[in-house]
Every structure is written in structure tokens, then in C-alpha cells.
Amino acid sequence: MLYTDIIISGIAAAIDFFLLIYSAIRVRKDALGGILLAMLFFSITAMVSLSLSLSGGLEIPAGAARAGFHSGLILTILFLFNFTVVFPDKKFGKKALISIATAVPPAAVSLWTVLSEVFFESEKAGLYGTIGNETLEQCFIGLCLAYTLSAAVISAYKSFRLRNLAYRRDLLYISSGLAALSLTGLFFSPVFMHLYESLFSPNSGLTITVHLAVLTVFYSTAFIDSIDIKKFYLNIFFWILIFLLLFGPVAVAVKFGLDYIYRQRIPSIGFTFIIIIYLFLFYKFIKPKIEELFQRGYWDLSTVIDGIFRQETRIGAPNEGESSWEASLKSSVKGLIDKFNIESGVLYIYDARANDYYPAFSEGVPIQAGRIKTGEPIIRSLASNQRVVDISYLYSGIIDSEFKSETLDFFTGNNIRTALPLFSRERELIGFLFISNLPRNKKYSKTYMSALELYRIIFQQRMSNIMLLEKTKVTQIVEHDKMVVDSIKKKIIPKKLIQVDGIRISSFYINNSMYGGDYFDSVRMGEERLCIFMTDSSYSGIDSALVSLEMYTVLHSSRKGMDSPEKILNTMNWIISSSRFTKRYAPSCCLMYYPGGELRYSNAAFNPLLIYDPSEDSFIEHDLQNVPIGVGSEVKYSGKTIKPAPGSIGVLYSDGLISAINGEGESYSLEKIKPIIRENRGSTPAVAVRKVFEDFNDFISGKNQVCDVSLIVFKI
């Protein structure tokens, strides 16, 4: 019995089962999704049959188990071939005839295998999964390799024919990978596995090869619109290399060193200690260096984007007739064009008076598009897609717009490769950046597109802030900081907090200052997660309002990856620390509610979170020592997980609540709030908030306060 093979086939079956469940739930129900499900089903059949063939489990005849393995494996490879025939289309169409015709040989071999092994089981069959009929065994291996190699050839052919340049690149890597897998199968199955048949069965090479192909198809189908196939292969090669460098020397040492150790009477514990030291030193010091080598190009992209927005010296003094904000935007565009060696780019900004978009400035070879009216198809197409719009997305259907053909014509007619739409916080299109090709018409990778999306989000946030201030100046003729602050506060502070199942939340807010102050909010992160945020941006006029506005933009912009409060605070800290518009900082706190009642809390020098546990009749303060948001971009915030008892009540409050002073010079405090929370523990948070509000107003007795007052009460 080959335990190594049993382990390999068992792991492969478990992986197939997980991928099958994931694909059935998450992958789109189209032709490619159906092919993927069929591949995984037959792959599971093959792996379970191989395990039974090797172990003799469940008293299933060996011939039936062998037939199940070979039939499942060859049908898996058949659907691998069909995947390359259909990809990247989502429907079979005329290709269904090709799929049916090419299914005949594998189906015949599968039927031949079942008849040979189940009904006419041969006594010449090997012990470990080989077919008794040598001719059938040769047909089986040859057909598997032929179909895998054909899949590689088809992918390579398509990589030179598609108009979608991004898919061309993916197909080229897929074809290269499938060709490599074919050669791997050719080497492992008839050569390597027979040399080491004491450890492996002859078909283990095909098992490993086919599952690498299955993983390739899975990632290509489930994540083709986002995954970088090249990076995917690099990760595979990286871990293979790490595995070989970790255990290769150990295997050689064990193979050839044990006899020497016994002859020299060297203690085996010393030999073991040397191996452990090698494994530790390699994984601790050498592995990170190899990983850096493999990921160098991908890390550089994010570093470049970071550098574009950090270099203050890039702006310099504005040109004559140019405002500081125009110089700032121009610097950011020029930085992108220069750093990525893009041939040309032009930034369009919305002109409210003319109701169109005008080319504010350009870099490189001019893109001759002129002014564009708001009703044009290109504008309506960009306004409906809040993400980077690449010409390849239009070809492939990743972006589905009713103006798809008009947008394609506009792109090709003006030598535009990619558009970066820029939106205000009201989701209005305030501008867009057109860029053309890379040098030598180099293809854009998925990682490159992700870098452009990161640039778009940061640039949009900055431009949105600028345009909001400019719009406020035009519409309200701002002459004093108070008008700007009041306008921003009215726009960003919610009138009602968002609710999700499992947590009830209520609040009150008293706007006492026209020079800045508190900002709080709640944002739904997914269907069942809720983010609660509160900050005190101080009272410095426009600077304080800008800090709150930038925090609002982070909360309400792209929420992908914002799955914990510390990530939200770290993002805010990076943006505010590197902002060109303000140098203020703000104590803040962030709380995330997860399904099941779990809380995750992070604090940036704000008042601690107060939680009342009704089962213990006790109040607990949760605090994390840290500095305010905006002190330095190098600061990293941490979080803590809290699991409150059912019925627990939480309280977040600003300094304005506990620093309020009445006519006698007395300060309001938490000790006045705690009894109210305790007395209303059986009521909703809205009741408790109303009681605190009434008690607070009775305490101050109409005395004017200088600080904003904010209170949030929630109940699990």
C-alpha cells in the first residue's frame, strides 16, 4: 500500500471538494462556470477512486476503482480542453460542435476502461492503479497528454487573435502553464514515477499535473477579471522553490548522511539539531529575500503611487494665472505620466457654467478630444462605472454599458487606452483622466490596473475635496471660515445612523461651534457589518473641516478591504498625514460590529469606549493608548476584539459632553450618564439617548457651550 499516494489523492480530493462548493456558490452560471463545475466533479471522482484503488477501502472491487480513476481523470482533461476552446467567451455558441466532436475519443477510452476493468477485470492489472490492458494504458496516458498539450496550443493561438489585450496576456500565460504541465506530466508519469514506484504509483504524476491545471482553470474562471495570472504563477514557483530549498537539502542529508553518522557514532540528536537550525535560518532570513525578489515588480507599483502623492517639492510655485489647487492636480497627473512612462494623458474637469467638461491640462502627446458635453455617450458611460475603465474591459464585457460601442469608438478614435473617472462624494462625475498606451504598446497587467485604481481613489479624494470647496465658494460666496465649516458639517454629519440586524443604535448631536468640532457616522460594511466612527477635529476653522471631510471621504469611498477599524484608522492617518491641504490632527475612534455580536475596536487618543454589562451590572472602559490621526504617516493603529454579553449597551461620546459647564461652573460627567444607562437597560438606545439629552439640557440650563456635543448609544 502506497501511503504517499493515498495522502496525495486525499488532499487533492479535499481541494477539489472545496473548489466545487465555492464555484457552485460564487462563480457565474455561464459556459465557463459549467465547465469548471464538471472538471471539479470528475476530478473528485478520480481522486476518490484512486484512494480506494490504493487502499482497498469499502470493499469496492479494484477494477471498479481503477475504472473510476481513469474515467474521471480523462474526463477532467476533456473539460480542461473545452475550457480553452470556449474561453474567454461566456457561451458555447458554434463551439459546441467542437466540444461534442472532441468528446468522442475520451468518452470511448472511458467506456473501454469501464468495460475492461469492471466487466472483464484483468489479472494483469497492477497493484497500484494501473490498467491491466497495456494498450489501453498507453492510449489513456497519450490521450491525456495530447489533450493537455492541445489546450496549450489553442490558448497560445488565441493569445495572438483577441482584441482584448488584457486577455491576450492572460491566455499567453495560461498556454505557457498548460504546456509546462504537459511536459511535467510526460516526465512524471512514464519516467519518474516508475523509477520511484516504491513511493508513488505510476499515475501520481498525472494526478499532480492535472490538479495544477485544475487550479489554473479555477483561478482563470473565478477571478479572470481581477487576478494577475503572471503573479499567480510567480507565487506557485516561489513556493515550489521554497519547498525544494527547505526540504531538498534535508532529504539529501538524510539519504546519504545517516550511514556516515552511524559509522562515525555521531549522536543523532546533533544531526537533528543541525537540520532544525538550517530550516529556521532559511525560513527566517533567506525566504524573505527570495520573496522580495519574486514580488519586486509588484511592490514597486504601490511605492510609485505613494511617491506621486507624497513629493511636496513636485508642486513648486504655481504658474502665472494658475491657482494652487490647479498646480496640485497638475502635479499629480504629471507624476503618473512620468513615473509610468505613459505616452500621454489629459485631465478633464466639470464646468458648471457651461455644463460640459473641459481639458484642464495635458501631458505628453495631446489627446484631441476638445470639450465634451454632459449628454455625450462617453460621459454617460463613465458616469455609470465608478472604477477604472480600460478598453479591454469594453471588449471583454467586464464593463457592460448601453453605450459600449460609442465608448469604444471614442477610445480608438482619440488614442485613449484607459479612463479614470473621478466622482464627488455625492457620486457625481466631476472629472476624468484619459491616458494612452505604455511605451512600445506594452500590455497592461492586472496588477498595473490595480495600481491605477489605487491612484484613482486617492486622486478622486483630493479632487473631490478641492471641487467641494470651489463649489462652496461659487454658490455661497464664502467670506468667512464659519460659512465653509457650517456647510461641510451639514453635508457630512448624518441625520440618522444606519442600522443592521443584531445591533440597535441611536445618537444626538449639538452643533455649538462654527469653527470645526465633532464628526460621527455609521457606514454599512457588507450586508451584516456596521462601522461606527467618531472624531474631534478641533476648532481651527477650514483646517478642521477639511480633516473631517477627508475622514468622511475615506468612510464613504471604496470599502473593499476595509474589514477592521484599525485598517480604517490607518487609511485615514495616511491620507491626512500626507495631505497638502491641512496639517491638523484629530483624536478618533472606530468600532466595527460583526454578525454574532462581536465587536472590534480601535482608538486614536479618543475617549474610551464605555460598555455596560447588565448581567454583571457593571461598566467597563475599553481604551487603546495611541496618538491622534494625522500625527505621522508611520503610525500604525491596533485593535482589540470585544465579545459583549447579550443586552450589553455601549457608549461613545465626545469631549463636549463631559466638559460642558453649567452656570455654577460644574462639569457634566460620565457619572451622570451611567445611572441613566442602568435604569434604561431594558429599553431601546433611543430611550436612553433621549433621557441623557434631557438630563444634559437640564444640567447646563441654557448656558452657551463652545464645544460640539456628540453621543452614540448602541445595544447588542
Side-chain angles (χ1 to χ4, degrees):
M1 184 181 296
L2 301 181
Y3 292 102
T4 306
D5 267 352
I6 295 176
I7 293 173
I8 290 175
S9 58
I11 294 175
I15 293 174
D16 289 341
F17 181 76
F18 170 77
L19 297 182
L20 180 65
I21 298 299
Y22 181 92
S23 301
I25 297 174
R26 301 295 297 274
V27 175
R28 290 174 297 192
K29 304 303 184 291
D30 51 25
L32 292 180
I35 290 174
L36 176 61
L37 291 175
M39 275 190 67
L40 293 170
F41 173 78
F42 287 115
S43 183
I44 292 175
T45 302
M47 292 306 100
V48 172
S49 299
L50 178 61
S51 298
L52 296 175
S53 174
L54 296 171
S55 63
L58 301 179
E59 298 183 357
I60 295 177
R66 288 195 298 271
F69 167 68
H70 288 81
S71 298
L73 201 60
I74 199 168
L75 291 176
T76 300
I77 294 176
L78 169 64
F79 282 100
L80 166 66
F81 175 82
N82 283 324
F83 168 81
T84 59
V85 171
V86 176
F87 184 87
D89 296 334
K90 305 300 188 294
K91 298 180 180 179
F92 280 102
K94 296 180 180 180
K95 298 173 183 177
L97 297 176
I98 300 176
S99 300
I100 294 173
T102 54
V104 174
V109 171
S110 177
L111 180 60
W112 188 5
T113 302
V114 172
L115 292 175
S116 175
E117 297 296 318
V118 177
F119 297 101
F120 309 105
E121 185 173 352
S122 174
E123 296 180 357
K124 297 180 180 180
L127 295 176
Y128 304 121
T130 56
I131 303 175
N133 188 318
E134 294 182 2
T135 302
L136 180 56
E137 176 77 11
Q138 294 172 359
C139 290
F140 169 77
I141 294 177
L143 204 58
C144 288
L145 296 177
Y147 270 68
T148 307
L149 189 59
S150 298
V153 172
I154 292 174
S155 297
Y157 172 76
K158 285 187 175 182
S159 67
F160 294 99
R161 301 281 296 179
L162 284 178
R163 298 180 68 188
N164 185 335
L165 298 181
Y167 276 3
R168 278 191 187 183
R169 188 174 185 270
D170 290 339
L171 277 171
L172 186 60
Y173 283 118
I174 290 174
S175 64
S176 301
L178 293 176
L181 291 174
S182 299
L183 295 176
T184 302
L186 183 65
F187 173 72
F188 273 100
S189 294
V191 180
F192 184 78
M193 293 303 167
H194 283 291
L195 293 176
Y196 296 92
E197 60 184 12
S198 60
L199 294 176
F200 301 93
S201 71
N203 287 314
S204 294
L206 284 176
T207 299
I208 297 172
T209 302
V210 167
H211 275 80
L212 290 175
V214 168
L215 284 175
T216 301
V217 172
F218 171 76
Y219 275 97
S220 301
T221 303
F223 308 110
I224 188 61
D225 295 340
S226 59
I227 192 173
D228 191 329
I229 301 294
K230 179 182 178 181
K231 189 175 182 180
F232 170 64
Y233 282 157
L234 283 176
N235 287 334
I236 291 179
F237 293 149
F238 167 73
W239 285 110
I240 290 176
L241 180 62
I242 294 299
F243 178 83
L244 293 176
L245 293 179
L246 268 176
F247 299 106
V250 174
V252 172
V254 172
K255 177 73 175 177
F256 300 103
L258 289 179
D259 292 340
Y260 177 79
I261 290 173
Y262 291 144
R263 289 197 304 269
Q264 299 297 325
R265 297 183 179 179
I266 299 175
S268 58
I269 191 172
F271 180 72
T272 305
F273 182 74
I274 292 174
I275 291 177
I276 294 175
I277 291 296
Y278 166 76
L279 294 176
F280 172 78
L281 293 177
F282 179 88
Y283 201 83
K284 180 71 174 178
F285 299 104
I286 300 178
K287 173 186 170 290
K289 298 295 183 183
I290 299 176
E291 185 176 14
E292 183 178 352
L293 180 64
F294 272 79
Q295 301 292 339
R296 181 178 55 190
Y298 296 94
W299 288 343
D300 287 347
L301 286 178
S302 59
T303 303
V304 168
I305 296 297
D306 181 71
I308 290 174
F309 292 101
R310 283 181 177 272
Q311 293 181 5
E312 298 286 344
T313 57
R314 186 177 286 275
I315 297 180
N319 297 327
E320 184 177 354
E322 184 180 58
S323 65
S324 59
W325 68 265
E326 287 176 326
S328 174
L329 295 179
K330 185 176 181 179
S331 172
S332 298
V333 174
K334 189 176 187 302
L336 177 70
I337 302 301
D338 292 345
K339 287 293 185 180
F340 287 91
N341 292 322
I342 300 172
E343 292 180 354
S344 59
V346 57
L347 176 66
Y348 276 75
I349 297 178
Y350 178 64
D351 184 351
R353 295 175 181 175
N355 194 29
D356 65 6
Y357 296 83
Y358 69 96
F361 38 81
S362 61
E363 286 290 330
V365 180
I367 296 176
Q368 304 294 342
R371 299 181 76 101
I372 307 174
K373 291 292 184 180
T374 54
E376 294 291 328
I378 180 64
I379 300 299
R380 299 175 68 178
S381 179
L382 293 177
S384 63
N385 293 285
Q386 297 185 17
R387 56 175 291 182
V388 171
V389 179
D390 187 71
I391 192 170
S392 63
Y393 296 169
L394 298 168
Y395 284 130
S396 61
I398 296 176
I399 291 179
D400 190 13
S401 171
E402 59 177 318
F403 306 105
K404 177 179 176 179
S405 59
E406 293 90 341
T407 306
L408 271 173
D409 292 340
F410 184 89
F411 273 43
T412 54
N414 293 282
N415 193 31
I416 297 171
R417 172 59 197 266
T418 305
L420 282 66
L422 307 168
F423 295 88
S424 67
R425 52 188 182 78
E426 291 88 3
R427 297 296 184 261
E428 297 175 349
L429 186 66
I430 57 176
F432 43 86
L433 175 62
F434 287 144
I435 58 177
S436 60
N437 294 315
L438 295 172
R440 300 181 300 277
N441 204 26
K442 183 179 178 182
K443 299 177 180 63
Y444 285 27
S445 67
K446 298 286 176 48
T447 304
Y448 182 86
M449 299 305 296
S450 297
L452 283 181
E453 178 64 16
L454 174 62
Y455 173 89
R456 189 194 70 82
I457 292 172
I458 299 175
F459 188 62
Q460 173 181 276
Q461 181 263 334
R462 295 183 179 232
M463 186 170 173
S464 177
N465 290 344
I466 291 172
M467 297 304 291
L468 175 63
L469 292 178
E470 289 300 309
K471 181 179 180 180
T472 304
K473 290 178 183 179
V474 172
T475 57
Q476 300 185 9
I477 316 175
V478 178
E479 297 178 354
H480 195 275
D481 289 356
K482 293 191 299 183
M483 298 177 65
V484 179
V485 172
D486 183 61
S487 174
I488 292 176
K489 290 174 75 171
K490 287 180 180 179
K491 290 179 180 294
I492 67 175
I493 294 179
K495 295 180 180 179
K496 184 178 181 181
L497 295 179
I498 294 174
Q499 310 278 345
V500 296
D501 292 338
I503 181 173
R504 308 313 299 165
I505 181 171
S506 186
S507 66
F508 78 74
Y509 168 71
I510 303 176
N511 183 9
N512 290 320
S513 174
M514 300 296 292
Y515 297 95
D518 298 346
Y519 163 56
F520 65 92
D521 212 338
S522 66
V523 180
R524 187 189 297 271
M525 299 290 184
E527 295 183 358
E528 298 179 311
R529 287 184 290 125
L530 182 68
C531 171
I532 304 173
F533 177 80
M534 184 177 289
T535 186
D536 181 356
S537 59
S538 74
Y539 303 89
S540 303
I542 291 180
D543 281 351
S544 297
L546 283 176
V547 170
S548 296
L549 181 60
E550 289 181 320
M551 291 181 171
Y552 173 92
T553 305
V554 172
L555 280 177
H556 291 270
S557 59
S558 177
R559 300 170 190 173
K560 185 177 181 181
M562 297 289 192
D563 56 357
S564 68
E566 57 265 33
K567 288 184 180 179
I568 294 175
L569 292 188
N570 285 328
T571 302
M572 291 179 173
N573 182 62
W574 185 90
I575 289 177
I576 293 175
S577 298
S578 59
S579 174
R580 295 169 178 165
F581 307 107
T582 179
K583 297 299 179 184
R584 295 289 173 180
Y585 56 84
S588 310
C589 70
C590 190
L591 181 72
M592 188 82 75
Y593 169 81
Y594 297 89
E598 184 179 275
L599 302 175
R600 183 78 178 170
Y601 176 68
S602 187
N603 192 312
F606 200 75
N607 295 322
L609 168 66
L610 180 67
I611 291 185
Y612 171 69
D613 185 349
S615 62
E616 301 289 340
D617 193 28
S618 62
F619 287 88
I620 302 175
E621 289 189 351
H622 296 274
D623 197 7
L624 293 171
Q625 300 298 324
N626 221 317
V627 297
I629 296 291
V631 171
S633 59
E634 71 281 357
V635 176
K636 300 296 180 184
Y637 296 95
S638 60
K640 65 182 296 186
T641 299
I642 305 171
K643 298 182 178 179
S648 295
I649 301 174
V651 180
L652 290 173
Y653 56 95
S654 66
D655 285 340
L657 181 69
I658 58 175
S659 64
I661 299 175
N662 62 13
E664 287 72 37
E666 299 173 334
S667 297
Y668 198 74
S669 67
L670 282 180
E671 300 308 316
K672 295 183 177 296
I673 298 176
K674 290 179 179 179
I676 299 176
I677 298 296
R678 180 181 288 111
E679 292 169 5
N680 293 275
R681 60 182 178 272
S683 303
T684 64
V687 174
V689 166
R690 186 173 66 253
K691 296 290 186 182
V692 173
F693 180 76
E694 294 171 354
D695 185 71
F696 177 83
N697 283 323
D698 290 340
F699 175 81
I700 62 175
S701 299
K703 180 177 175 57
N704 292 331
Q705 305 295 316
V706 297
C707 297
D708 288 356
V709 178
S710 300
L711 174 71
I712 294 178
V713 177
F714 60 89
K715 186 175 183 180
I716 305 297

